[in-house]
């Protein structure tokens, strides 16, 4: 008996194939949801005690202020750039995530574990949202959800206390409700989706990108009968009201300020640097593409891809800005850039093969995120790349379904090494944060101020959070508040650290504390910059990672800065 060969769905019957798979899933939906929830919790539970890290500090400070002043989320002064400034000037994010954090802190407590437990909810909703959306786009939605879950860009972001994963969860469910509302002419779904778009934009400004995205989908489906798009005036009106309210309360229109801030910092980036960083962060952030490469395309393209990556690496090595980098770093950049270009190949191939509203939505989603990251946002980082993860995961699965070999557990083995790499990146980021917490406790205990002296510190991120917890004060470089005998702690691998001149200060100690010794996510002198590409062109980097260094200086005379 001859077994019929498996034939992947063609362009013409792809929608029917997906519809049949969605209507007759291999497992009941409730068990699938439970499985994905359990997988998400297993991935994030080991990192519940992760220390406050990077911009977590700003969100916590705002949340703590909200508890006592619910109508005034930005009404405090912080030292974030070396001087005291209003939080309304410093922050470039809307306050909805801070309100959620305030509720979590009030109900569960302000320790690291309860706060991270509260942020498990948006992570679970994001994974479930990817699965539910993928059911309408491909025949194997579980695979898409798992690929998104183990992507370093999602996994790391889900261990922070910032707004990014919460915005992504709202984004995904807004797309689900809107697309299904358009398909079924449901005013309830459309109104709910519009409300979620408004909430997403008030969680992170990038959520407003849903407005043109969903408008384009509506026009593709309804043509000239696109009156359902009128619901999108709800988030537009919400953002206008928010901008006016912040202008009246703080004298600053927050949305306009964020746009101006991005424009001022964007002018400092060269075009090639922006493109290279965007492709590197996209490829490294959604690294499953590398492990599935041999299954995505015909075998004849594999040697071509390897040759192209090699040529790219040699070319990068001859660029003046990269000429001093090691071959190991060049190889990592070339590999990640190749994966980023692979994302563009997926988009083009999917649209050329299908040319329907689903492929167009995924294309606009992906390309819009890349353009925003590379040309509009003030920096290239993992947080700005995050919205790519669900769309790329769905595109990857759609391409796998076109290949001759059917998708099964044995053909999804690349998820294993992708998950292992994702776990390593999260562990390295957690180790970096935790070593900062330990160093702050040690330094604060060792240099506890005497009766008439003060312990000062420079640097920010989680180091600032823990130093303030231990009674130290942030050093204001404009006011030079130190007195004779005061100590100033300088975290050399942190932000906004100004060197003290030896004419007025004397270095009395230096300590080093290792984090992960072979992988880094945020270290300036190592070339890793997951949270800001100015720390490195790689979102994470393998190699011999130097330990964190902290210097202790004692004031001998009136301070002076270089």
């Amino acid at each position: 008996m001859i077994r019929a060969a498996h034939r992947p769905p063609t362009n013409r019957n792809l929608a029917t194939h997906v519809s049949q798979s969605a209507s007759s899933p291999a497992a009941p939906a409730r068990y699938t949801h439970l499985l994905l929830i359990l997988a998400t919790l297993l991935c994030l539970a080991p990192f519940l005690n992760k220390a406050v890290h990077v911009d977590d500090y700003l969100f916590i400070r705002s949340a703590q202020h909200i508890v006592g002043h619910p109508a005034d989320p930005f009404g405090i002064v912080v030292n974030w750039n070396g001087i005291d400034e209003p939080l309304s000037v410093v922050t470039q994010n809307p306050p909805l995530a801070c309100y959620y954090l305030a509720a979590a802190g009030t109900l569960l407590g302000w320790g690291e574990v309860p706060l991270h437990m509260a942020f498990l909810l948006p992570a679970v909703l994001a994974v479930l949202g990817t699965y539910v959306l993928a059911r309408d786009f491909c025949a194997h939605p579980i695979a898409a959800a798992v690929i998104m879950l183990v992507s370093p860009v999602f996994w790391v972001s889900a261990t922070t206390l910032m707004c990014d994963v919460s915005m992504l969860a709202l984004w995904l469910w807004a797309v689900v409700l809107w697309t299904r509302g358009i398909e079924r002419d449901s005013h309830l779904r459309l109104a709910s989706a519009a409300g979620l778009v408004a909430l997403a934009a008030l969680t992170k400004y990038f959520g407003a990108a849903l407005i043109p995205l969903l408008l384009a989908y509506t026009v593709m489906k309804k043509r000239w009968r696109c009156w359902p798009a009128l619901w999108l005036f709800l988030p537009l009106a919400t953002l206008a009201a928010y901008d006016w309210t912040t202008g009246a309360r703080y004298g600053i229109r927050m949305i306009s300020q964020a746009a101006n801030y991005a424009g001022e910092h964007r002018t400092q980036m060269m075009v090639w640097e922006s493109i290279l960083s965007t492709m590197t962060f996209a490829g490294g952030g959604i690294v499953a593409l590398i492990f599935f490469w041999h299954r995505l395309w015909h075998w004849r393209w594999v040697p071509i891809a390897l040759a192209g990556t090699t040529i790219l690496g040699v070319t990068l090595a001859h660029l003046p800005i990269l000429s001093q980098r090691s071959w190991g770093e060049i190889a990592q950049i070339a590999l990640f850039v190749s994966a980023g270009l692979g994302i563009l190949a997926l988009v083009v191939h999917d649209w050329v093969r299908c040319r329907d509203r689903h492929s167009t939505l995924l294309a606009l989603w992906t390309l819009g995120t890349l353009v925003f990251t590379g040309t509009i946002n003030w920096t290239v980082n993992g947080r700005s790349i995050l919205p790519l993860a669900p769309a790329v995961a769905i595109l990857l699965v759609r391409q796998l379904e076109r290949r001759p070999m059917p998708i099964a557990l044995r053909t999804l083995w690349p998820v294993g090494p992708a998950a292992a790499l994702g776990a390593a990146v999260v562990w390295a980021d957690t180790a970096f944060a935790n070593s900062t917490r330990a160093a702050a406790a040690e330094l604060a205990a060792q240099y506890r101020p005497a009766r008439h002296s003060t312990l000062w510190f420079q640097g920010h991120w989680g180091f600032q959070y823990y130093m303030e917890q231990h009674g130290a004060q942030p050093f204001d470089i404009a006011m030079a508040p130190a007195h004779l005998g005061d100590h100033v702690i300088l975290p050399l691998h942190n932000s906004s650290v100004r060197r003290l001149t030896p004419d007025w200060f004397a270095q009395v100690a230096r300590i080093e504390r290792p984090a992960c010794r072979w992988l880094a996510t945020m270290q300036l002198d190592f070339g890793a910059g997951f949270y800001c590409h100015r720390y490195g062109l790689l979102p994470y980097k393998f190699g011999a990672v130097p330990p964190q260094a902290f210097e202790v200086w004692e004031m001998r005379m009136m301070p002076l800065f270089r």
Side-chain angles (χ1 to χ4, degrees), residues 76-92:
I76 55 175
V77 174
V78 296
N79 183 325
W80 191 247
N81 298 303
I83 57 175
D84 289 341
E85 298 174 285
L87 181 58
S88 58
V89 174
V90 173
T91 187
Q92 306 302 324

Side-chain angles (χ1 to χ4, degrees), residues 428-513:
D429 192 61
T430 302
F432 181 81
N434 290 350
S435 68
T436 299
R437 175 174 59 189
E442 179 182 345
L443 288 165
Q446 185 173 354
Y447 295 95
R448 189 177 302 277
R451 183 175 180 181
H452 299 293
S453 63
T454 304
L455 177 61
W456 305 92
F457 66 90
Q458 292 191 48
H460 304 287
W461 304 344
F463 184 73
Q464 177 169 4
Y465 179 80
Y466 292 107
M467 290 299 290
E468 289 183 355
Q469 271 195 343
H470 293 295
Q473 300 294 320
F475 198 92
D476 190 324
I477 60 176
M479 300 191 61
H483 299 84
L484 293 178
D486 287 357
H487 289 95
V488 183
I489 310 296
L490 273 60
L492 301 187
H493 296 100
N494 207 288
S495 68
S496 300
V497 177
R498 299 282 298 273
R499 300 293 297 185
L500 302 173
T501 175
D503 294 336
W504 306 99
F505 291 85
Q507 182 178 338
V508 296
R510 174 188 170 99
I511 68 169
E512 294 183 348
R513 291 294 176 267

Side-chain angles (χ1 to χ4, degrees), residues 285-520:
I286 312 170
V287 76
L289 200 67
I290 297 174
F291 296 99
F292 276 101
W293 182 266
H294 69 290
R295 288 219 54 219
L296 290 173
W297 314 106
H298 193 278
W299 64 267
R300 70 168 67 97
W301 292 103
V302 175
I304 297 176
L306 293 175
T309 303
T310 302
I311 294 172
L312 176 62
V314 174
T315 303
L316 292 174
H318 286 83
L319 292 177
I321 192 67
L322 298 178
S323 60
Q324 303 301 318
R325 308 293 179 95
S326 67
W327 277 106
E329 183 173 357
I330 295 295
Q332 292 176 59
I333 294 175
L335 183 62
F336 288 170
V337 170
S338 298
L341 295 175
I343 292 175
L344 296 179
L346 279 179
V347 171
V348 173
H349 189 265
D350 186 77
W351 189 83
V352 169
R353 291 288 299 269
C354 298
R355 297 196 182 189
D356 58 10
R357 60 186 179 278
H358 285 163
S359 62
T360 305
L361 177 68
L362 292 173
L364 293 176
W365 182 342
T366 304
L367 296 177
T369 304
L370 290 172
V371 169
F372 172 84
T373 301
T375 64
I376 299 176
N377 198 39
W378 73 276
T379 182
V380 178
N381 54 31
R383 297 173 60 191
S384 58
I385 289 293
L386 175 62
L388 275 180
V392 173
I394 294 172
L395 283 168
L396 192 154
V397 173
R398 283 164 67 94
Q399 178 64 14
L400 288 175
E401 290 171 352
R402 297 188 181 99
R403 302 298 300 143
M405 184 180 296
I407 294 181
L409 286 178
R410 63 185 179 86
T411 60
L412 290 176
W413 65 264
V415 172
L421 178 56
V425 175
V426 180
W427 183 82
D429 192 61
T430 302
F432 181 81
N434 290 350
S435 68
T436 299
R437 175 174 59 189
E442 179 182 345
L443 288 165
Q446 185 173 354
Y447 295 95
R448 189 177 302 277
R451 183 175 180 181
H452 299 293
S453 63
T454 304
L455 177 61
W456 305 92
F457 66 90
Q458 292 191 48
H460 304 287
W461 304 344
F463 184 73
Q464 177 169 4
Y465 179 80
Y466 292 107
M467 290 299 290
E468 289 183 355
Q469 271 195 343
H470 293 295
Q473 300 294 320
F475 198 92
D476 190 324
I477 60 176
M479 300 191 61
H483 299 84
L484 293 178
D486 287 357
H487 289 95
V488 183
I489 310 296
L490 273 60
L492 301 187
H493 296 100
N494 207 288
S495 68
S496 300
V497 177
R498 299 282 298 273
R499 300 293 297 185
L500 302 173
T501 175
D503 294 336
W504 306 99
F505 291 85
Q507 182 178 338
V508 296
R510 174 188 170 99
I511 68 169
E512 294 183 348
R513 291 294 176 267
C516 178
R517 300 178 184 273
W518 46 272
L519 176 62

Side-chain angles (χ1 to χ4, degrees), residues 165 201 413 553 555:
V165 173
W413 65 264
W553 292 69
M555 182 187 169

